[in-house]
Structure formats: C-alpha cells, structure tokens
Amino acid sequence: MKEGKTKREVLADRVYYVQRIVAILAAALIFFPAASPSRICAMINKNLSLFTSGISYGSLTAEMGRAFNRGWLSEGTMALLCAASVVMLLGIAAAGAGGCMSLGNLKFKKLGNLFSLGGVAGQILGLVLIYVSYQQVLGSSSVDRVGPMFPGGYIVYLILAVLLLVSSIAIQFMLPKPEADSEYEMESRFKLFLIFLPFAALCFVFSYLPLWGWRYAFFDYSAGGTLSMDNFVGFKWFTSLFQSQATKADVVRVLRNTLAMSGLGIATSWCAMAFAIFLNEIKNIRFRRFVQTFTTIPNFISWVLVYAIAFAIFSTDGFVNTAAVQLGMLAEGATGTNYLMDASHIWLKMLFWGMWKGIGWSAIIYIAGISGIDQQLYEAATVDGAGRFAKMWHVTLPGLIPTYCVMLLMSVANILSNGMDQYMVFSNKVNMDTIQVLDLYVYTLGITNGNIPLSTVFGMVKSIISVILLFAANGISKAVRGESIV
Amino acid sequence: MAKTKQEKQDLKAEKAYEKTHKPKWQLTPGNIVFNILNYAFYTIFTLSCIFPFYYLFINTISDNDLVRKGQVTLLPKGINVQNYIAMLNVSDLGNAFIVSIARTLLGTALMVAATALVGYLVTKQELWHRKFWYRFLVITMYFNAGTIPWYLNMSMLGLTNHFAAYIIPGIVAPYNIILVKTYIESIPAELEESALIDGAGFLTVFRRIIWPLSKPILATIAIFGAVGHWNSFTDSLILMQSAPSLYTLQHRLYIYLNQNSNIAQMMNAGGSGILPTMSTKVLKYTISMVTVIPILLVYPFMQRYFEKGIMLGAVKG
C-alpha cells in the first residue's frame, strides 16, 4: 500500500495529525468548565462545562429564576444558548467520528473528511449562535446584575474550529479520488483500537483526570471560587503542615492513629495463616465446610452493616445488656452501658472488628495454598519421625510463607490507606481523637469543613508515599524472591 | 436440601482428596487436648459470625412489647412479620432500596460486558500499541489522586447528585480486566483461529466463542462487582450531598443508625400511624435486616465462585 502513495497523500498524512489532535482536544475540552464557551454571563454556574450546558438546561439556568421573573434575561436567550451548546457538541462528535474514520482506507478517509467538514460547520454554527445569545445578554435591561462576560473558552474553540476547517479543506483537496469499485476497509489493528478507544477514554477520565485536581493544592481556593494568579500561593499549604501548630497537632494525631491501626493489622496478619493451618487439622469435612462457609459471610457485608451488628450487640439495649439483665447482673429497668460510646482501647476494638470481618476470607488463599503442598513432604517428615505439630511447623508453615510474604508486602505498601468506611461508621464524638485515620481526616477536612487545598495536599502526599512504598515493596520482593508482586 | 450436580461432584472430589491427604496422627493426650481446643475455637468463632444475624432476625420477628422489655435474647417470642410489612410504607427506605438494586444490576451488567470485551481486546496482538494500552489500564490500580481531587473531578463532570455517578466510573475495572485477560489466554487458541478461518469477524468471535467460554470468570467478577455495588456507601455519602432521593440503602441505614431521637414516633407523626408498636431499636434492626437479607440470599450461589476468583487473583497477567 505504502509504495503507491503520491506526494499529495504523504502530505495529507501529515495534515491528518493536526486534524486528529484538534479533534481530540475539542472532544476533551467539552468536560472542562474553564474551557466552556457557553459561560456568557456571571449568572451561569462557573462549574458548568460545555457538555453539561448542552445536556442539562436545568443546571444551565439553575441560578436564573429571579432573572427570568424580573425580565433581566429572556428564557429564549438561554434556550438559544443551550441549543447552541448542543449544536457544538454534535459538531465535535461528528469531527471525532471523522477522525476515527481517517484510520481506514481511502474511501473511508473521504467519508471521514465529510464528517469532519460537517462537524466543523456545526461547531461554527454553534459558536455563531452563542455569540448571538451573548449579544442578547449584553442588551439585557439590567446589565450589571446579569454580568455578561466573554468566555475565554470561546476563543479556544474558535481557534480549534478554524484549525479544523483549514485542515479538513486541505485534506479534501489532497486526497485523490478512490477507485469506483473499492469498499470501506480498515486495518484490523485500527479497528480493534477504535473498539478499545471508548474504554481508554473512560479510564482516562476517571483515573487520570483527577490528578488534574492536584493543582488546587497550590491555590488559596474555597468551594465555588476560581483559580487565578491572584490566589496562587505556591507551597504555602505544604509548609503549613509543619508551621501551623494546629495542623501539626492534627497531622501527628492522625498519623499516629493510622500507623497504629495499620501496624496492628500487619502485626496480626499471620492470624489468617494460623486460622487456615489449624482449620486444616480438623478431620471432619462437613464441619470444616461449615466453618468456612459461615466465617466468610462477614466479608461480604458492608461496614455500615458491621456497625449495625455492633449496635445490636453492644448498644444500651443491645444483646449484652439484655442478657445481663436476664442473668441478674444488671437491675431490671436500669440503663445499660453503651459500649460503642466508650473511647478506651479503640485501636484494639477496630482490630477486632477488622479480624471478625476479614479473617475467614483471608484464610481462603492459605487453605488453597495448603492443598497445593506436595504430600511427599509430609510422608518424608513422617518417616523422619515428625509428629503432628512438627509437620505443621516444618512442612505446612514453610509452604505458606511465600504467599504470606506477598500479602505482607502488599499491606506494608498500603499502610497509609486503611480506608475510611470502618472508622467513619464507628466514629462518634467520644472516640474521634483516637479513631480518626488519614482517610477519614481528609474526608472531614475537605468535604465537611470545605478546606479543599489542604485536603488535596494530604491526598497528594499520601498517594506519592504509597506509590513509593509499593515500588519499594516490589523491589524487596524482586531482590529476595526474584518475583515481582505488582 | 437438594444438591446440584456440581456440588455433588465437588464433594466427591473433596472426599477423594481427603483419602490421600488424611492427616495421620495418634491419639496421644496432647493431640486429644489440641483437638478439643481446636474444635471449640472454630465452633465459637463460627457462632460469633452467625449469632448477630440471628439475634437481629429474632428481634424483628418477635412481639415488639416483649422486645422492648428485653425478653428476647435467644429465642423469638410471639412471631409475626408486621415490622417488615411496616417497612413497605417507609418511603425513603423503599426509594433507597430501588436505587441500590438499580445500581447493582445496571452497574454490574455494564462492568461485566465492558470487562469481557476489553479483556479480550488486550489479548489481541494486532491491537494498535497493545502493550502501551494494557499498561495504561493496569497502572491505574496503583495510584490514586485522593478523595478530594476525585470529588472535584466528579463535580466538574457534572456527576454529583446524579445517578450515573454510581455506574459510569465503575465500568472500566482494571483488576477484573486482568482476571479476564488471564482467563481468556488460557482458552485454546485453535478455537478462535478456526472461527477466524471460517470468516468470522472480531465481534462474532467474541460473542460466539470468547463470551460463552469465559462464563465462569465472568460469573466471578459479576459477583464481586455486585457485592461491591450493594455495599458501597462512601460514594453516596460524598457525591449525593444534595440529592437524598439518590442515597443508597447503606447510606440510609447509616443515617437511621445514627439517629437518636425516636424515629418511629417521628414517622408516625408524619405518616398514617403505621408503626404503632415499633421502638427505635426495632426499627433500626429491621432496616439492618432488609439491607443484609439480599446478601444472605445470594451468598450460597456466590460461594462456589469466589474461591475460584481469589485463586485466579493470585495469578497475575
């Protein structure tokens, strides 16, 4: 195929790079509120992207009830704006489709370029309509209240549309006519890639794009505000971790809780292995199945339900207190103790609940490991005169140690992330001091108290340390066992 | 209880395994003591896993007056189901139930379909820059921007207070993709090749060959996905702050558990007096039961698959 290309086609291939990059940019920017060309007045929420403006008229006009009632703005203007956004979105989608088709053969490319041209026409029409509604806003009866503004995103999209237009027209002239009898064809590697593309996009949007939010760590930002050079503060929030007394105290307290509870978890992680080894010593299959079946259930219920169970057993009128009354240990009618409001030994209690929920489940992998141990080892041990416990210690245990090491390294890498569900549901005013782990603290700081920059800093530092720990763990595993764990 | 063929086979295989693997030891006093302690420990621990559910259950089906007096500890008294019937009239609970069911069904179905397709795609050598794209997916398991950037991202995308926030982010699940990819790689390549020779396209091969053959692994990830969706609580808490009608059942339960005033009375004052004899405690217990029953119902079906799943998880792609 390649040797048959004319000079013009080779040039067209170059221009295609421009066209595709522009199409991808235009498609990506529809999700960014900062690049929205539709925010033509201050009354439109600044968190609306072009995408949201197009698909949701309700959120576009969320703050305009008064403006409509008083006649500052006509609903027609906003409907026009919404329609313009839809036209823009359709145009961008068409241009995207055109870009996809450009991966095919000549006939496909021709069709794709028609899509691109149509898409660019849609985008330009949308931009014109937005401009018209902007002019209407400017003519509002109460200009200072409505606050018309010319969005920066408009210029961005204008530039993109012009680039797309120029490249599409150029390509239209450069591509030779396809042979009359040729069919739509595409190399299978590109076909597969196009099927894959939407999923890659989803992955990008939900896993990579949040990293873009790290920029909040460098600004003095409060919910609903904007980011600009005026409130750029550099590393202020990072240094405040060490300078502000209150923050420092918080950090120390939260880190102490986090490390203590993760540490206890790691220190007792061998329990699951012991659970499996001792369970293996039980001869009766039915009993063993019974134990396995029922000790795994708690793993499948949420932490909220675990709390509900704790509530049923340990609260003022729960099982423990009711039973105490019936056994005569507590006077009838007396108020029982609410064990959940007791702040002592919180770390151990959390460890207990964690084990209750997880041990049966964690043991499964070791149980499977035991059945994989070579029976000849046991026979050899018997010949050497090893008793039951000697076999457990010298054969079963060494057989499980490699699995245990992997699990241990993983939990070391996760030492800062013990999740927030468990601690959130069990927390109350009394035990907050000792139960608040990093994840819970970040949640309270960011969502409840609205300190977005500082909580972002915590998230950033935690992520970076976790990745470093993971690679360190992986390095250790490689060096010691010659196998990587990630 | 009727046993399926598969279960019978499993038991048979296990018995055969027992015969060859039977631990051999003499009945020395030490062994006997150890056995007794061992059985005692596992019995007590297993009971501790069963009893709380049982206790919740008997308290919700007993006579509410006896429960209030604290007379129901080990056996139900005055059995009736009126508490559960009353639950039907608690509108926000019904609503939350529907939200949870909807996200579990829809979210799991989409996740499984996407995972199967992507898992197959990343096994194809022809995929343009296959290695890069596979790493692009897998690497996301190891980093995390943090709760707040994630929240800001969701709000930027307009997904806060929107049902789609439960579904769309979970569609691409890298860990499950690895599981499915590993599984598909173990399917004999000849099956696929012969279909390709017969002129079948990529999607036909996927639908006719790969999908049916990978059903065991798809069932496994479906179960884990469904349990995850059903139990999910923090996304409802963080993302649905101003849309109480989209709270999940777990979130509702959390709210109820943390209410100290007499909710039953409040409901009666507002409603038609449908919960006359229910105390706050019984109301909390009943809602807990409503939340846990679906898990307990599907648990027997899940069990067969999750052991397989955890073993496959140990094999990396």
Side-chain angles (χ1 to χ4, degrees):
Chain A
M1 295 267 276
K2 270 196 175 149
E3 59 273 14
K5 277 189 177 172
T6 62
K7 253 189 187 168
R8 281 212 313 206
E9 277 180 277
V10 174
L11 192 61
D13 279 349
R14 299 251 167 84
V15 181
Y16 262 129
Y17 283 112
V18 179
Q19 197 201 39
R20 287 174 195 148
I21 288 170
V22 170
I24 290 171
L25 262 181
L29 287 178
I30 65 172
F31 296 110
F32 285 85
S36 170
S38 313
R39 192 167 177 252
I40 52 172
C41 71
M43 293 189 100
I44 298 173
N45 189 321
K46 67 173 74 63
N47 291 321
L48 284 188
S49 58
L50 176 61
F51 183 70
T52 334
S53 321
I55 60 163
S56 166
Y57 180 71
S59 40
L60 188 65
T61 56
E63 291 150 37
M64 294 182 184
R66 230 159 71 96
F68 288 153
N69 287 337
R70 303 267 172 101
W72 300 339
L73 277 174
S74 81
E75 286 214 48
T77 311
M78 284 301 125
L80 181 64
L81 181 65
C82 189
S85 308
V86 173
V87 173
M88 286 279 298
L89 290 175
L90 290 177
I92 291 165
C100 289
M101 289 181 207
S102 71
L103 294 171
N105 67 352
L106 194 56
K107 189 149 185 199
F108 238 136
K109 281 185 171 147
K110 275 284 188 191
L111 181 70
N113 210 44
L114 288 183
F115 267 83
S116 298
L117 283 168
V120 92
Q123 289 179 39
I124 289 171
L125 176 65
L127 287 171
V128 169
L129 291 178
I130 290 174
Y131 192 73
V132 171
S133 50
Y134 173 66
Q135 288 300 331
Q136 288 182 6
V137 173
L138 277 183
S140 155
S141 57
S142 179
V143 174
D144 47 325
R145 284 225 177 78
V146 178
M149 52 195 282
F150 195 70
Y154 193 90
I155 297 160
V156 173
Y157 268 99
L158 196 61
I159 295 171
L160 289 181
V162 169
L163 279 173
L164 199 56
L165 183 67
V166 172
S167 58
S168 302
I169 290 176
I171 288 167
Q172 190 66 25
F173 284 111
M174 284 170 193
L175 288 182
K177 248 199 153 99
E179 285 161 36
D181 57 344
S182 66
E183 289 187 15
Y184 292 115
E185 269 169 17
M186 192 183 284
E187 283 178 66
S188 66
R189 59 190 186 127
F190 292 132
K191 238 191 264 175
L192 294 180
F193 174 66
L194 288 182
I195 302 176
F196 180 75
L197 194 60
F199 301 104
L202 275 179
C203 179
F204 176 80
V205 165
F206 292 108
S207 297
Y208 290 89
L209 203 52
L211 296 176
W212 175 240
W214 280 8
R215 72 194 191 283
Y216 287 96
F218 304 97
F219 290 88
D220 207 345
Y221 174 85
S222 57
T226 44
L227 301 184
S228 67
M229 280 325 282
D230 297 336
N231 53 19
F232 182 78
V233 292
F235 285 93
K236 175 187 146 188
W237 295 108
F238 291 85
T239 50
S240 86
L241 291 187
F242 306 102
Q243 282 167 356
S244 146
Q245 278 305 320
T247 319
K248 211 157 75 179
D250 271 350
V251 172
V252 170
R253 182 173 57 84
V254 166
L255 272 184
R256 188 194 62 200
N257 293 339
T258 309
L259 294 177
M261 286 194 251
S262 296
L264 282 174
I266 291 170
T268 53
S269 57
W270 54 270
C271 288
M273 189 165 58
F275 187 95
I277 294 178
F278 289 131
L279 186 61
N280 192 51
E281 292 301 315
I282 284 176
K283 270 199 240 173
N284 189 324
I285 316 175
R286 281 180 192 280
F287 182 74
R288 233 163 62 187
R289 286 205 113 186
F290 171 79
V291 170
Q292 256 191 287
T293 303
F294 287 98
T295 52
T296 337
I297 289 184
N299 182 61
F300 289 97
I301 64 172
S302 67
W303 275 110
V304 183
L305 269 166
V306 174
Y307 179 68
I309 278 166
F311 179 84
I313 305 291
F314 293 110
S315 71
T316 320
D317 46 7
F319 172 73
V320 173
N321 284 310
T322 321
V325 171
Q326 286 196 346
L327 295 174
M329 286 153 70
L330 194 69
E332 197 144 339
T335 316
T337 325
N338 188 350
Y339 297 99
L340 296 174
M341 291 300 275
D342 181 7
S344 59
H345 310 299
I346 273 294
W347 294 345
L348 286 175
K349 284 178 192 161
M350 288 301 110
L351 177 71
F352 162 78
W353 283 112
M355 282 183 100
W356 180 76
K357 191 174 189 288
I359 197 166
W361 175 251
S362 323
I364 288 183
I365 195 155
Y366 297 112
I367 292 170
I370 290 174
S371 59
I373 294 174
D374 191 349
Q375 282 310 299
Q376 291 180 342
L377 291 176
Y378 288 102
E379 281 153 24
T382 316
V383 171
D384 290 347
R388 181 184 187 185
F389 299 102
K391 274 187 259 179
M392 277 158 71
W393 183 256
H394 292 291
V395 182
T396 316
L397 187 65
L400 295 181
I401 287 290
T403 316
Y404 178 65
C405 285
V406 174
M407 297 287 155
L408 190 66
L409 282 172
M410 288 302 267
S411 54
V412 169
N414 282 326
I415 197 162
L416 287 182
S417 354
N418 28 21
M420 93 173 209
D421 287 31
Q422 179 185 2
Y423 309 100
M424 167 111 196
V425 294
F426 276 99
S427 67
N428 53 46
K429 282 187 198 111
V430 184
N431 62 21
M432 204 43 146
D433 234 26
T434 41
I435 206 173
Q436 201 170 38
V437 293
L438 195 56
D439 287 328
L440 183 56
Y441 179 67
V442 167
Y443 167 78
T444 322
L445 192 68
I447 305 283
T448 318
N449 302 342
N451 190 341
I452 286 170
L454 192 57
S455 50
T456 307
V457 168
F458 276 108
M460 258 175 97
V461 174
K462 196 193 112 175
S463 305
I464 292 168
I465 292 179
S466 298
V467 170
I468 293 173
L469 281 176
L470 183 76
F471 280 101
N474 195 36
I476 293 172
S477 170
K478 261 188 190 161
V480 176
R481 303 174 44 237
E483 241 178 84
S484 65
I485 53 172
V486 294
Chain B
M1 212 167 74
K3 283 217 165 91
T4 62
K5 208 172 152 195
Q6 175 72 32
E7 272 170 13
K8 271 184 192 157
Q9 276 176 356
D10 283 353
L11 208 66
K12 225 182 197 173
E14 214 165 305
K15 273 189 180 150
Y17 169 85
E18 278 319 302
K19 255 184 197 157
T20 49
H21 289 63
K22 203 166 217 170
K24 301 173 189 82
W25 60 75
Q26 280 93 41
L27 285 177
T28 61
N31 276 337
I32 292 171
V33 171
F34 173 79
N35 277 349
I36 292 170
L37 290 179
N38 214 15
Y39 270 95
F41 168 76
Y42 284 104
T43 312
I44 291 170
F45 188 77
T46 310
L47 285 181
S48 86
C49 293
I50 303 171
F51 182 73
F53 299 103
Y54 173 74
Y55 180 71
L56 277 175
F57 185 63
I58 58 168
N59 270 280
T60 54
I61 59 165
S62 292
D63 188 81
N64 284 338
D65 278 331
L66 295 175
V67 173
R68 187 174 301 131
K69 286 181 198 143
Q71 291 180 354
V72 179
T73 39
L74 294 176
L75 289 170
K77 286 172 189 159
I79 297 177
N80 65 78
V81 289
Q82 59 160 345
N83 289 333
Y84 288 92
I85 294 168
M87 283 303 112
L88 296 174
N89 292 310
V90 185
S91 65
D92 52 3
L93 194 67
N95 196 33
F97 199 84
I98 292 167
V99 169
S100 280
I101 291 272
R103 75 170 287 184
T104 304
L105 293 181
L106 199 59
T108 311
L110 287 176
M111 183 274 287
V112 170
T115 307
L117 185 57
V118 176
Y120 180 43
L121 273 171
V122 292
T123 62
K124 302 293 280 181
Q125 298 297 328
E126 303 101 288
L127 176 67
W128 187 64
H129 287 294
R130 184 187 77 99
K131 271 203 174 138
F132 169 80
W133 290 115
Y134 183 57
R135 282 183 193 149
F136 177 86
L137 291 179
V138 167
I139 228 168
T140 59
M141 292 198 307
Y142 303 115
F143 70 86
N144 180 334
T147 315
I148 305 301
W150 168 76
Y151 165 73
L152 293 170
N153 184 51
M154 295 296 271
S155 111
M156 183 173 87
L157 296 169
L159 282 174
T160 43
N161 306 314
H162 200 293
F163 180 72
Y166 290 140
I167 310 290
I168 301 175
I171 289 179
V172 176
Y175 183 71
N176 293 342
I177 290 173
I178 297 180
L179 290 186
V180 172
K181 173 189 175 261
T182 317
Y183 192 89
I184 291 176
E185 278 168 350
S186 73
I187 296 175
E190 291 82 10
L191 287 173
E192 208 186 318
E193 279 160 17
S194 61
L196 286 174
I197 290 167
D198 290 345
F202 169 80
L203 287 175
T204 316
V205 173
F206 173 69
R207 219 178 53 233
R208 295 276 178 79
I209 296 176
I210 302 298
W211 177 272
L213 285 178
S214 35
K215 269 189 183 154
I217 187 69
L218 296 181
T220 307
I221 62 166
I223 280 161
F224 282 101
V227 172
H229 269 294
W230 183 260
N231 283 342
S232 169
F233 157 64
T234 30
D235 54 1
S236 172
L237 186 75
I238 295 174
L239 297 175
M240 305 299 162
Q241 288 171 52
S242 39
S245 60
L246 289 174
Y247 285 178
T248 58
L249 194 52
Q250 308 287 343
H251 191 179
R252 268 288 160 221
L253 173 65
Y254 177 71
I255 293 171
Y256 276 118
L257 287 174
N258 279 296
Q259 261 171 17
N260 289 319
S261 52
N262 194 335
I263 353 173
Q265 261 176 15
M266 270 164 46
M267 281 177 177
N268 280 328
S272 48
I274 27 154
L275 316 164
T277 60
M278 254 171 133
S279 63
T280 307
K281 166 175 133 177
V282 172
L283 186 74
K284 287 178 179 178
Y285 288 4
T286 314
I287 298 175
S288 307
M289 278 314 289
V290 169
T291 315
V292 81
I293 282 172
I295 292 273
L296 296 183
L297 284 182
V298 296
Y299 182 75
F301 302 99
M302 287 158 49
Q303 225 200 336
R304 187 187 313 157
Y305 289 106
F306 64 59
E307 292 186 19
K308 211 178 277 170
I310 202 167
M311 286 325 293
L312 283 165
V315 186
K316 288 176 306 295

